Amino acid sequence: MMTKVKAQGLVTDLMPNIKLMQAAGHFLFNYHSDNSGMSMLLRKVYSSVHAVLIVVNYVCMAINMAQYSDEVNELTANTITVLFFAHSVIKLLFFALNSKSFYRTLAIWNQSNSHPLFTESDARYHQLALTKMRRLLYCICGVTVLSVASWVTLTFFGESVRFIANKETNETMTEPAPRLPLKAWYPFNTMSGTMYIAAFALQIYWLLFSMAIANLLDVMFCSWLIFACEQLQHLKAIMKPLMELSASLDTYRPNTAELFRASSTEKSEKVPDPVDLDIRGIYSTQQDFGITLRGAGGKLQTFGQPTPNNPNGLTQKQEMLARSAIKYWVERHKHVVRLVASIGDTYGTALLFHMLISTITLTLLAYQATKIDGVNVYAFSTLGYLTYTLGQVFHFCIFGNRLIEESSSVMEAAYSCQWYDGSEEAKTFVQIVCQQCQKAMSISGAKFFTVSLDLFASVLGAVVTYFMVLIQLK
Amino acid sequence: LNSENLFLNRAKIVMKIMGVWIPPPNESIISKIYKFIMMFFQYLILLFLIIYVFQMWGDLDAVSQAFYVLFTQASLCFKVTVFLVNKNMLMQLLKQMKSDIFAPKSAEHESILILYASKIKRLLLMFMIAAQTTCALWALKPLFDDVGSRKFPIDMWMPVTSENSPQYELGFVFQFVTITISAYMYFGVDSVALSMIMFGCAQIDIVKDKIMTIVSIHDAKEDERKKILQDNHKKLVECVIQHGAIASFIQITENAYHTYLFFQLTGSVGIYCMSALRILVIEWQSMQFFSIVSYLFVITSQLFIFCWCGHELTATSEDLHTVMYKCLWYEQDLKFKRDLCFAMMRMSRPMIFRAGHYVMLSRQTFVAILRMSYSYFAVLNQTKKN
């Protein structure tokens, strides 16, 4: 259902990413300002054309792999390339099939609660998140463009051959192949001439768009994680003022006016000093008012001298602010938990596929790496594949790890503000928060594994182990 | 009792002589120049070694021989640079060491601090002696092994050849002095990081001691009970504040020194492989063999000291949780019990010192590194044979 969604919340923050994804051909049809039938149709046609081209070229590469599967080296190299670009095809399909889930995750932060005392902190961390997300996007875009450029450059070095197994003598021969970035079967002859140039142009386009498709989706995932982490930082930052606010309700504190200072810039009325109230002189006993002055929820009356229940003489408004601050904190934390759960549900399966394919790719690359015998095109391309694949895994592992660390450090933040001086209410709040935050929030790949630096270390260790074993077998 | 001097006096003296300790606010030009010259010589040796490795690329023997010296020197340059860059954090740590929270309040506390300080100083002294022995053996190598031919103690690219007489001696002295200085700098920088960790351990022990001094109200008279309960609660709060301060102290230490620890841990694997490969090749009666063995001992001991310290910290902080339970909590009032419950919940999480914010320093890590190096060594050995 393509409804016109007003850009707010996460969508506004991620708009450059979304626009790039739409340009790369993902089936992302929401979040356009113009939703007329004609432009919608054009966009669908655009995405479909991209999808068809990408899948067709991918199939051509697979056909090439099947054609020349006799010789081991050629087969391995082609399998690695096919697996490498399987990520793009899978991510394209995954997004197309799961777009509702993505829209839901993007819409989760559309309505967020707010509290007048904490808006400044909220804005600051939101801005931090935005800066980091933009920086990540630029970085990954740069890496993609650089990879494509270096791939195309590397095509012009070395011999443009493929390996054939001579069936009689069982030794490897080379036969000339078209000097193209990717080895693929085309129905036309691409050795030279206009067809060669056409195929080359097609392949450059294909390289750029397929890498962009895969990387932009990963960037979106990591941007969500950055946002969640910055929200957790915000919650940690407001823990201390929150404790003091809560303590001011039933423990005498010398500087309670300071705590409410932020609110005075928001509210138009001046926050009155308790001493200034000359009503106090008139309405000094509760008896004069009885039940009628009791606000909803059994709030304290603040006219009159500080009562035992209200040692700091807070006004009704201040008391409401203090009580609602805890509510704000808890609701915001629950919102973050919802966001993380939604991220995990949306992207978990994609991560699982990514890790499966990457594991196989890295095993084959370890084998290829044992055949490196000098500084040549083969070495550069193998090392390039290796670095890129490991880099992709590292990319989401590092952000997953940060989420785990941030969410488990909320407990330490709660513990480090002086809870022992606070009120019973403050202590209970901190205690319950700590109980909940003992279990860290993490993203799992469809519950098979947790995305963290441990995952990356085990992948790296596995590659090195295979490499060592294979070298010994040679 | 000055904690800083107790833990760091040796390191401070050594590093002041080397010119790399924290400079006073109005540092004179001379000391700045001195520091610059010291650092320059270290980087110069590193450069020479790199040139040598590039020259000898392809010859596995020569490369492995040069490699372990190269790694040591690179590690040292990195260490001292990180140390100098993070001197603000070090000043913060030293200030915290002298603060009231960490000041010993009884003779018992002082003896705990002295015990931990002596432990770490003994271990570091052993490391220092081993390092100096290695330097001496390296220096003696040309005199014993290659008698007749004039070679430098360490194979590296030298701007002077060993033929001409005054230049050979100068080069020899330059190498020997700079390597000895680098060993002392190693000792100094490692002392600082390790002493901080052991200081954290000592403070945790002090917290344990404090909580056990909770007085029983059983024998007290009726009117004194309230005062004793209040005192006990105040002690608990002090313990909580001190524990929080120790946690942040260790966190600052980790932030300051985690990079070079990580570099060292990952590099140690390569060092073990290369050194083991050399040992297999060299005749065991030569000075070079002994120098490599002694060098391996130095690296192993350094690695072990780090992993041991990290493990001590984790084990001591886990123990704190148990000790909190051993105090006389069941006689105290409800407020004490609820606060104790909360404090124990926090203390159930042990303090972990992680190199590179990732690799936990513990005895298991030490064993894992040895196993990893052995497996790499086995593979490289096999490759060489084929």
Side-chain angles (χ1 to χ4, degrees), chain A residues 352-427:
Chain A
L352 178 65
F353 283 130
H354 189 119
M355 287 310 298
L356 277 174
I357 295 182
S358 293
T359 315
I360 306 174
T361 316
L362 285 167
T363 315
L364 290 172
L365 278 169
Y367 170 64
Q368 291 286 76
T370 60
K371 294 187 286 180
I372 293 180
D373 52 4
V375 179
N376 51 16
V377 171
Y378 179 75
F380 274 118
S381 65
T382 310
L383 286 176
Y385 270 114
L386 206 51
T387 325
Y388 194 90
T389 315
L390 284 173
Q392 276 183 322
V393 176
F394 183 73
H395 180 221
F396 53 78
C397 281
I398 193 117
F399 286 108
N401 198 56
R402 187 158 173 242
L403 179 70
I404 295 176
E405 305 229 317
E406 285 294 330
S407 59
S408 56
S409 70
V410 175
M411 188 243 219
E412 268 126 27
Y415 184 77
S416 66
C417 46
Q418 288 134 354
W419 52 271
Y420 37 80
D421 282 340
S423 60
E424 294 307 307
E425 179 153 353
K427 278 193 229 185

Side-chain angles (χ1 to χ4, degrees), chain A residues 405 408 412 420 453-454 468, chain B residues 241 342 349 354 358 376:
Chain A
E405 305 229 317
S408 56
E412 268 126 27
Y420 37 80
L453 276 181
D454 288 332
M468 290 197 323
Chain B
I241 299 178
F342 190 32
R349 223 186 250 195
R354 299 185 298 176
Y358 181 59
Y376 292 159

Side-chain angles (χ1 to χ4, degrees), chain A residues 405 408 411-412 415 419-420 424 427-428 430-431 434-435 437-438 453-454 457 464 468 471-472 474, chain B residues 237 240-241 243 335 338-339 341-343 345-349 354 358 375-376 378-379 382-383 386:
Chain A
E405 305 229 317
S408 56
M411 188 243 219
E412 268 126 27
Y415 184 77
W419 52 271
Y420 37 80
E424 294 307 307
K427 278 193 229 185
T428 322
V430 176
Q431 212 158 357
C434 286
Q435 283 283 42
C437 294
Q438 279 189 326
L453 276 181
D454 288 332
V464 175
M468 290 197 323
I471 262 208
Q472 282 210 335
K474 266 167 64 73
Chain B
V237 170
V240 165
I241 299 178
H243 179 258
K335 191 159 155 16
R338 286 185 55 183
D339 288 350
C341 180
F342 190 32
M345 183 167 62
R346 170 64 177 93
M347 290 177 192
S348 65
R349 223 186 250 195
R354 299 185 298 176
Y358 181 59
S375 55
Y376 292 159
V379 168
Q382 195 76 352
T383 322
N386 295 346

Side-chain angles (χ1 to χ4, degrees), chain A residues 184-204:
Chain A
W185 171 88
Y186 290 117
F188 41 85
N189 178 20
T190 52
M191 280 307 285
S192 60
T194 47
M195 282 296 130
Y196 168 71
I197 296 179
F200 202 94
L202 171 71
Q203 289 202 347
I204 293 184

Side-chain angles (χ1 to χ4, degrees), chain A residues 10 24 29 39 54 97 99 102 143 146 154 158 183 210 261 278-279 315 336 368 372 392-393 405 445 471:
Chain A
L10 274 175
F29 302 123
S39 39
I54 286 178
L97 294 172
S99 43
F102 278 89
V143 165
L146 195 67
L154 208 61
K183 291 194 175 130
S210 51
R261 201 165 23 115
D278 38 28
I279 298 177
T315 63
V336 175
Q368 291 286 76
I372 293 180
Q392 276 183 322
V393 176
E405 305 229 317
I471 262 208

